[in-house]
Amino acid sequence: MKQIIKNIFSKQEIAILVPFLILILFFYSRNEAMLNHVTITSILRTIAFPALISMGMVQLMIAGEIDLSTASVMSFCAVLTAKLVRDFNFSITEAVIISLLCSLLIGFINAFLSVKIGIFSVIATIGTGFIVRGGSYLFTNGLPIYPLPESFAILGSLRPFNISFTFFLMLGIALFVQLLLTSTKWGTSIYATGSNWQAAEVSGINTFKVKMLCFMATSFLSGCAGLLTMSQLPGTPGDPIIGLNLELDILAGVIVGGVSLYGGRGSAIGSLIGVAFIQIVRSGLVIGHFNPYLQLPALGLLLMLAVGWDVIKHKKNVA
Amino acid sequence: MNSNRIKFLIYKFPEFGILLAVIISFTIFYVADNSIAETSTLVRMATQGTCIGFAAYGMGYLMISGEIDLSSGSVAGLTAAISGMMLDSGYSELTSYMAALSAAAMVGFLNSFMTLVIGIPSFFGTLGTSFAASGLCIWLLKGRWIYTGDYIPFLDLIFSPSPFLDFPWIFLFYIFLIILGDTLIRTSKLGTILKATGGNLISAKIAGINTNYVKTSCFILTSINFGFAGILVMGYGGTADFSIGLDWILWVIAIAIIGGGSLRGGVGSIFGTFLGVCLIQIIRIGLMNAEIQTNAQKIVVGTILIGAATFDSLKSKSKT
């Protein structure tokens, strides 16, 4: 019995649920509004975007790389689509396809720099992130692009069960990624690439291809998240500040959810819980009448704790 | 033969290539717009360059010893915020700066603790402290702008023009530090110790170097430098606000890597970081003079960062 309990809690995805519930109860005890209908739906709507991106990030991090340009890609895709539609008379479909192709290209460049050339992916993606965000400000002079056709808001204004379209899209993708990771050959090759790429290479896995597809998936999902954010904003402006500082939420969420910085460990459900955890902390600090400026230091601290925990666990496994 | 000689030069003096890049870019901008060579522009370049240069200065040492620190901007912002708040509530200049710099040193110590004791790779550890420090800075300032222009006679003094071509005193001090550091690295035991620590940790340990001590000192030195740079920016602008240090992460890493520092440790040069600062400043001011949007700077510097990192990576690949 003891062993079973130990086994269950050795999975970080499940272990994280305990502080998760405690936090919710704590914030609930400070203010009962924590668990009312409005709060919960707004939290679910907010986590949809970082969670959507984290579904690419989780694969990428299991494969042993990282991407810090996600939030910039969000902004870039939204702005590019808006620009193409308003100033160059593209139809919405064409513009969306072009900007998503651009996001795939950015993912490919990230992969090429990190894997083929061998720059650490942290540095390479900081570089591409700045270039991409610089691009999106340059396009717009820093001002939102509007007015745009009302049909931009079609997806964003859908409210199934009063939540949002993005949330259900994200849930679907999360399930899909979880299945991919646990029960397909693709999943196995991601884990193999991340835990020991030489061994993976020897056993016939093209690790560059695996990492490249993971990078491209992350960028693609970031692009989608950017477009969906735009579609959900009132007046659907192509605003370059879309996704500003969101990379912290994504990264912290994924790591809190049990994905290892060293690659080879993690799950989609875990990162979903992790991203939700981050949002609970953010919203809880506001609802629980704490100083709202505490959000960022709290997240930074949480990220550091999660990283420290991950490293200690990794050391134990290696030893 | 001739091309071999150039290759040898570049290999032996990595600064040679950067020097060439500095000269070429300066010439290009000069041809496009003469005003870049005017004294007033040069002074402005030197003053801004000193601020970012101090931030990159410590990174030069740290990267030779084989670690990296991504918390530059946040630590600069935090230090500026602390000293601004203390000045505002009536503390003396010296006390405020000392307190703020000790906070920066504490961040450096935390970085080294995470890297050396817990074993988090410095990329990730310092990314964490970066988020934490910028959060702390925002929390402290709560969106305020603190006007400090009236309480900083010392900073005003070091920013005042010196007899030498009207460059500010702090710039001369920066040059002095660069020469001092470069000479130390090239001629004294310090250079050997740093390079051994970064190049081959295990041999360095066997040779009796206390590598943890070396790295901890570098981390703390780097953070104090970031902090000092933050205070300088505050003094230059006369206000402490959350925007100090924004986007520095890009500039500082770019400068350190352009300056010949390797992400794999063991090599680098302090004079190189100076040339890196020159290159970045020429590009910033050049683009500004050409009335190109400031956002284009990010693109250019991001591209340079990736280019330099690519060069560094290919070089270390060809060696092995």
Side-chain angles (χ1 to χ4, degrees):
Chain A
M1 186 60 198
K2 213 174 164 188
Q3 192 57 39
I4 295 173
I5 293 176
K6 216 176 167 187
N7 273 345
I8 289 176
F9 279 96
S10 72
K11 281 227 173 287
Q12 193 166 337
E13 295 87 336
I14 297 168
I16 196 73
L17 279 177
V18 177
F20 187 82
L21 293 176
I22 293 176
L23 260 184
I24 293 181
L25 283 178
F26 171 67
F27 289 130
Y28 181 69
S29 73
R30 303 244 334 171
N31 184 351
E32 288 183 6
M34 185 71 202
L35 285 181
N36 76 15
H37 189 66
V38 180
T39 316
I40 291 176
T41 49
S42 97
I43 287 179
L44 292 181
R45 270 182 217 160
T46 321
I47 66 165
F49 304 110
L52 185 63
I53 298 173
S54 79
M55 287 309 129
M57 194 76 149
V58 65
Q59 301 181 55
L60 183 63
M61 285 185 67
I62 293 174
E65 302 285 343
I66 200 168
D67 188 348
L68 294 177
S69 67
T70 45
S72 309
V73 175
M74 277 175 84
S75 148
F76 183 76
C77 280
V79 165
L80 181 65
T81 311
K83 185 94 181 162
L84 286 176
V85 169
R86 192 192 64 173
D87 293 350
F88 296 96
N89 292 325
F90 280 78
S91 77
I92 293 184
T93 331
E94 284 165 351
V96 166
I97 289 173
I98 291 174
S99 59
L100 288 179
L101 283 178
C102 280
S103 73
L104 284 174
L105 180 71
I106 296 166
F108 176 76
I109 293 172
N110 282 336
F112 186 79
L113 291 172
S114 320
V115 189
K116 280 282 160 175
I117 295 185
I119 309 173
F120 293 108
S121 48
V122 177
I123 301 291
T125 54
I126 285 180
T128 46
F130 268 97
I131 296 176
V132 168
R133 193 171 283 279
S136 85
Y137 275 91
L138 200 61
F139 271 159
T140 55
N141 288 321
L143 299 169
I145 295 181
Y146 70 96
L148 292 171
E150 276 179 16
S151 41
F152 259 108
I154 290 179
L155 282 180
S157 57
L158 281 181
R159 288 271 184 274
F161 302 103
N162 206 12
I163 306 178
S164 70
F165 170 75
T166 317
F167 179 75
F168 290 99
L169 178 72
M170 181 276 291
L171 268 192
I173 290 181
L175 280 178
F176 177 66
V177 171
Q178 182 64 29
L179 281 177
L180 271 185
L181 287 174
T182 48
S183 46
T184 62
K185 220 178 124 192
W186 166 247
T188 323
S189 47
I190 295 182
Y191 281 106
T193 306
S195 39
N196 188 340
W197 69 268
Q198 279 116 334
E201 194 81 7
V202 171
S203 52
I205 296 171
N206 183 343
T207 53
F208 172 63
K209 203 173 125 195
V210 170
K211 287 184 175 179
M212 183 184 81
L213 288 175
C214 291
F215 266 115
M216 286 166 79
T218 311
S219 271
F220 182 76
L221 287 175
S222 313
C224 293
L227 293 174
L228 289 165
T229 310
M230 176 165 79
S231 148
Q232 209 161 311
L233 286 173
T236 69
D239 196 331
I241 66 161
I242 284 176
L244 197 66
N245 295 336
L246 205 66
E247 58 265 321
L248 170 62
D249 291 52
I250 300 163
L251 192 66
V254 170
I255 295 174
V256 166
V259 178
S260 170
L261 283 172
Y262 296 94
R265 187 160 52 79
S267 70
I269 300 300
S271 20
L272 184 54
I273 299 173
V275 172
F277 190 96
I278 299 295
Q279 192 53 44
I280 294 285
V281 174
R282 269 188 185 277
S283 307
L285 285 176
V286 177
I287 294 170
H289 306 303
F290 290 94
N291 186 331
Y293 287 107
L294 267 177
Q295 283 184 41
L296 263 181
L299 288 196
L301 193 69
L302 204 61
L303 178 66
M304 271 157 66
L305 285 180
V307 170
W309 173 246
D310 173 45
V311 171
I312 291 168
K313 214 156 95 176
H314 177 76
K315 269 188 176 168
K316 237 186 196 167
N317 283 352
V318 172
Chain B
M1 177 61 204
N2 205 9
S3 75
N4 272 344
R5 189 124 178 223
I6 294 174
K7 262 187 200 160
F8 175 77
L9 257 180
I10 290 180
Y11 185 73
K12 185 83 185 171
F13 300 103
E15 295 91 347
F16 183 73
I18 323 157
L19 189 61
L20 218 58
V22 170
I23 296 171
I24 292 173
S25 56
F26 189 81
T27 321
I28 292 175
F29 282 118
Y30 181 73
V31 170
D33 185 356
N34 290 350
S35 69
I36 198 168
E38 279 167 17
T39 325
S40 61
T41 318
L42 287 177
V43 168
R44 195 158 54 120
M45 250 157 83
T47 316
Q48 288 179 359
T50 310
C51 301
I52 198 90
F54 267 103
Y57 184 71
M59 273 285 272
Y61 295 95
L62 185 65
M63 281 182 76
I64 300 177
S65 79
E67 302 288 346
I68 197 169
D69 193 337
L70 300 181
S71 61
S72 48
S74 326
V75 173
L78 180 65
T79 318
I82 293 176
S83 48
M85 287 176 71
M86 287 187 69
L87 285 170
D88 194 42
S89 45
Y91 286 92
S92 79
E93 255 193 306
L94 189 70
T95 330
S96 320
Y97 301 154
M98 283 303 145
L101 287 179
S102 346
M106 252 142 64
V107 177
F109 186 73
L110 180 66
N111 281 335
S112 66
F113 178 80
M114 287 197 302
T115 313
L116 303 170
V117 181
I118 306 184
I120 306 174
S122 50
F123 283 110
F124 300 118
T126 55
L127 202 62
T129 39
S130 162
F131 286 130
S134 67
L136 206 59
C137 166
I138 290 174
W139 178 57
L140 281 174
L141 287 174
K142 300 187 177 66
R144 275 180 301 163
W145 291 58
I146 301 177
Y147 178 70
T148 57
D150 293 337
Y151 322 111
I152 47 171
F154 175 68
L155 286 182
D156 286 340
L157 177 72
I158 60 176
F159 273 113
S160 65
S162 69
F164 177 70
L165 278 179
D166 284 350
F167 283 130
W169 288 104
I170 188 69
F171 177 69
L172 300 186
F173 181 58
Y174 171 59
I175 298 287
F176 167 72
L177 280 185
I178 289 283
I179 296 171
L180 180 73
D182 202 65
T183 323
L184 278 178
I185 294 278
R186 271 176 219 275
T187 56
S188 78
K189 241 171 84 183
L190 178 73
T192 328
I193 291 175
L194 282 178
K195 283 180 182 163
T197 307
N200 193 332
L201 191 69
I202 296 165
S203 333
K205 272 184 184 157
I206 293 171
I209 298 172
N210 186 343
T211 53
N212 278 358
Y213 177 72
V214 172
K215 287 190 174 179
T216 308
S217 327
C218 285
F219 266 119
I220 294 178
L221 175 79
T222 311
S223 280
I224 292 181
N225 270 299
F226 291 160
F228 189 61
I231 292 178
L232 285 182
V233 175
M234 182 191 79
Y236 187 50
T239 50
D241 63 87
F242 75 98
S243 74
I244 290 178
L246 218 62
D247 293 350
W248 276 20
I249 186 171
L250 176 74
W251 309 106
V252 172
I253 302 173
I255 290 169
I257 298 178
I258 295 168
S262 169
L263 292 170
R264 287 166 180 79
V267 290
S269 120
I270 304 300
F271 184 58
T273 62
F274 173 69
L275 289 176
V277 172
C278 292
L279 185 63
I280 297 281
Q281 276 311 104
I282 289 171
I283 290 170
R284 276 174 98 170
I285 300 282
L287 289 178
M288 227 182 273
N289 278 355
E291 288 181 4
I292 295 172
Q293 255 199 50
T294 42
N295 291 307
Q297 292 176 13
K298 276 185 205 167
I299 303 181
V300 175
V301 178
T303 315
I304 294 176
L305 166 66
I306 287 177
T310 305
F311 182 69
D312 164 49
S313 182
L314 294 179
K315 203 170 65 180
S316 60
K317 258 189 191 168
S318 68
K319 255 190 244 171
T320 46

